[in-house]
Every structure is written in C-alpha cells, then in structure tokens.
C-alpha cells in the first residue's frame, strides 16, 4: 500500500478533511425536522408535520400537462442557455410587470434552480470578503449561510412580536456600518408571515438609496397575503433603487411547485451576467422540462393560487385561534406566507411529562416525541423562544396536530 492510501477518514482531523468554508455550514434545520418527521412516519408513527414550507396541493393540471408535452418533444431534452429558456425569461419579465408594476428587460433575468440558488448566486455575485449584510431576524435559515459562503458577514437586526416582527428604519440604521453593503428585505416573511406596508417598504427603500446600499428583496410569497393586505415590490415603488436591487422569486410557493426547482433573479444587467457566468459553471441550466412547466405557470392566470390562498387563509385563522387557547403561547396573526411564529417563552422551564425544556430546541424535541407533532424551533431562525409551524397541510391534520399540542402543553407545571 502506498502512502497516499494509508490515511483513513477516522485518522485525520475533520477540520483538515472538510474546508473551513463549507465545514462551517450547518444543516438546514427546516429540512432536518421534515426529514425526521418523514422517517418516523415511514416507520409507521402517526406524525403530523408542521415543519415543511411547501403547499400540500398538487401542481395545477395545466402546468403538469405542459411538462408532459415537453417530455415528449426532443427539443426539450437538450441543454438550454445557462441563464434559461429565452421564452421563459421574457415571460418572467411580463409577469413582473403584471404583478409588481416593475418593467424589466429579459436580459435582467436569470432562471435558477429554485429561489435557494437565486439567493446563493445573488450574494456570491455582489459580496466581497468582509462585506456586511443586514439580515432582519427572525430570518429564514438559508440567508446567513449563503451570505457566509460568499465571504460576507450577516448582521442581525431582531424584531419581535411587539412590532409584528417588522424592523424599523431606526433599527436598520443602528446596524449600519461602513462595511454594510446590502440589506435583506423579505415580505411576506418566512418564518413569521409578516408583511410590510407600502409606506414601511418605501421608508426602507429610501433609507437604502440614501446610504448607497444594495437590497436583496425576496418576493417568493408575493401572492400569499390575506384580507386587505397587499405586498409591495421595492424596486417598483423606489425606482432610484433599481441599479442596486436584486429581486428573488420563483414558482415553488405560488403554484405548489416546490419539487420542480425553478426560481429566478431579476437585477441590473452586469450583476445578472456575473451570476449567469457562475451558474454556467456550477449547474448550467435548470431542467428544461421544469422551465417549460414554469412558463405555463406564470403565463396562465392566478386562479389556482387564489384557490390555494383561500384554503391557507382558512387554516391560518384556525391555527391562530387554537394556538391562542394554549397558556404560555402568544400567537400573532400573520398577514402573509403560510407560517405562524408563536412565542412559547411562557412554557420554557416548566415541567412537561417529567422534563423541563429550557430552550425551544428541547421543547420541539419533546413535542415530536410526546405528541408526534413536528415543529421547527426558533433557534433555526435566529430567535430562540419561538416555534415555526407551517399551515400548508390538510385541514384535518392541522386540527388534529394542534389538538395534540393543546393536550400536551396543558400539562405544563411550574
Ligand atoms: C423566503 C423564501 N425564499 C426562498 C425560498 C426558496 O424556495 P425554492 O428554492 O424552493 O424555490 C423559500 C423556501 O422555503 C423561502 O421560504
């Protein structure tokens, strides 16, 4: 045996086997909770999952049919340009004008493997080592990791339930330093469901323009808003921002298409070109057939999402009411997306079935074991003391799952 093959994985320190950059990334907590719940379910346990951020509906028929047709046509068995099918890029530009009132050229669009890749590539395209990104918390778990992977430094600004989980310009300003390059803006928000009003959105946009900051705005939940609430697109209302604004969006949440993996970036041409170059070496184009499906989705009307929104709205009201009935739980009513983010600080340290969970990681583990209900602890979103529950699951499961929580948590004692 030569020397090269002598080293075994166990004899070498992990720190030297995996790069520091990638070794520092933690597993996606939301996917981990979902995987654990699915594994328990597969083992025959009646687990109810509030973990995953995906609609329970099938993808609408007309979208699936477009994909089936594409599968039969050899034209769609090939590579597309790395940045996406030209007709899809044109349709994304048209959809952005229709839904946001923001006019862009197809050359400002890059089609990505879901919103996740869009976020990763956007940060990679604009951050240099040490650049700071202001990240309102609670934040979706992927943002800080993709910022760090790009060499950037996430700087958290926390908003709690007392302000509906929305940060103010004053808070953002207090976090700004000379290294700040970008501010992240997510409305409607994952994990809180918070939606910024038009005037709040404008105030943040004006502040960013005043200080020459970039904005990465994630609009993936744009169509999931309830009651009279509307979502506002930052570059539509603040045109001065367009030269330093990157929009992230995709079909996953609006059209129940999480598995198809189609998202996109809209931004200034130079940045989109740079991100396209990166993607051309990393993954090339998004699956051709998936692009055809996305084209059908965004070229159609919004009837399917209106139907899903109605179901989500009904579930939202049910879950807020039922969680509000539990002592120690404070559950603000979210205005968008499909998550609730209750504070459970009143339950920490109490005795439940012989255990005293001191943080929400421990509480979520106890809930999974004792009630067979999967929820995501607030630690995953930068704010311990909260749980995230997705209400994108069937009505019956939702009621059964929250009833189990009510029963278990009613046992909490000092
Ligand atoms: C706020 C937000 N942005 C982007 C995404 C990415 O979605 P996908 O990569 O499935 O398109 C998600 C998914 O959970 C999300 O919650």
């Amino acid at each position: 045996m030569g020397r090269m093959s002598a080293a075994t994985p166990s004899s070498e320190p992990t720190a030297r086997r995996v790069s520091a950059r990638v070794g520092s990334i933690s597993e996606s907590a939301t996917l981990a909770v979902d995987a654990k719940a699915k594994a328990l379910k597969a083992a025959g346990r009646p687990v109810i999952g509030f973990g995953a951020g995906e609609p329970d509906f099938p993808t609408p028929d007309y979208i699936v049919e477009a994909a089936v047709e594409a599968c039969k046509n050899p034209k769609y068995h090939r590579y597309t340009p790395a940045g996406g099918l030209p007709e899809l890029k044109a349709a994304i530009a048209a959809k952005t004008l229709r839904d946001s009132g923001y006019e862009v050229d197809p050359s400002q669009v890059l089609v990505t493997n879901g919103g996740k890749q869009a976020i990763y590539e956007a940060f990679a395209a604009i951050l240099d080592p040490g650049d700071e990104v202001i990240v309102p918390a609670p934040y979706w778990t992927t943002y800080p990791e993709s910022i760090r992977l790009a060499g950037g430094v996430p700087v958290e600004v926390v908003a709690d339930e007392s302000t509906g989980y929305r940060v103010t310009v004053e808070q953002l300003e207090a976090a700004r330093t000379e290294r700040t390059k970008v501010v992240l803006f997510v409305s409607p928000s994952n994990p809180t469901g918070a939606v910024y009003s038009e005037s709040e959105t404008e105030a943040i946009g004006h502040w960013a323009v005043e200080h020459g900051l970039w904005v990465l705005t994630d609009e993936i939940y744009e169509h999931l808003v309830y009651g009279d609430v509307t979502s506002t697109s930052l570059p539509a209302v603040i045109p001065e921002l367009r030269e330093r604004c990157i929009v992230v969006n995709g079909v996953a949440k609006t059209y129940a298409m999480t598995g198809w993996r189609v998202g996109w970036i809209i931004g200034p041409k130079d940045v989109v070109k740079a991100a396209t170059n990166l993607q051309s070496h990393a993954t090339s184009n998004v699956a051709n057939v998936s692009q055809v499906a996305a084209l059908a989705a965004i070229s159609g009307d919004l009837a399917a999402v209106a139907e899903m929104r109605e179901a989500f709205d009904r579930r939202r009201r049910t879950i807020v009411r039922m969680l509000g009935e539990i002592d120690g739980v404070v559950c603000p009513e979210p205005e968008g997306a499909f998550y609730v983010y209750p504070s459970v600080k009143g339950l920490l340290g109490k005795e439940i079935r012989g255990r005293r969970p001191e943080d929400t990681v421990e509480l979520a583990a106890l809930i999974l074991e004792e009630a067979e209900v999967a929820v995501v602890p607030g630690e995953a979103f930068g704010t311990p003391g909260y749980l995230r529950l997705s209400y994108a699951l069937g009505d019956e499961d939702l009621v059964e799952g929250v009833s189990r929580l009510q029963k278990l948590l009613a046992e909490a004692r000092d």
Side-chain angles (χ1 to χ4, degrees), residues 114-116 119 140 143 186 190 218 220-221 252-253 261 339:
K116 265 190 186 167
I119 292 161
W140 180 46
Y143 299 123
V186 188
N190 175 4
D218 187 335
I220 206 153
Y221 295 102
K253 317 288 177 175
R261 310 309 304 136
Y339 308 100

Side-chain angles (χ1 to χ4, degrees), residues 3 15 31 78 87 101 144 174 179 186 226 260 268 285 294 402 411:
R3 288 182 63 212
L31 294 186
R78 309 279 173 243
E87 54 272 41
R179 294 308 312 259
V186 188
Y226 308 106
W260 299 79
N285 61 277
V402 187
E411 295 176 22

Side-chain angles (χ1 to χ4, degrees), residues 355-368:
R355 283 153 71 175
R356 284 189 187 272
E358 294 297 336
D359 58 32
T360 23
V361 169
E362 287 178 17
L363 181 63
L366 184 142
I367 289 172
L368 184 56

Side-chain angles (χ1 to χ4, degrees), residues 98-101 166 185-189 193-202 217-219 221-234 236-237 309 316 334-337:
R98 177 193 70 183
D99 297 344
S100 312
R166 297 191 301 276
F185 183 74
V186 188
S187 174
S189 152
V195 182
Y196 286 77
S197 70
E198 184 164 342
S199 62
E200 289 166 338
T201 307
E202 283 177 356
T217 172
D218 187 335
E219 301 185 348
Y221 295 102
E222 63 181 337
H223 291 296
L224 296 176
V225 285
Y226 308 106
D228 298 335
V229 174
T230 52
S231 58
T232 308
S233 176
L234 248 181
V237 291
R309 186 170 51 228
R316 174 182 73 115
E335 296 184 320

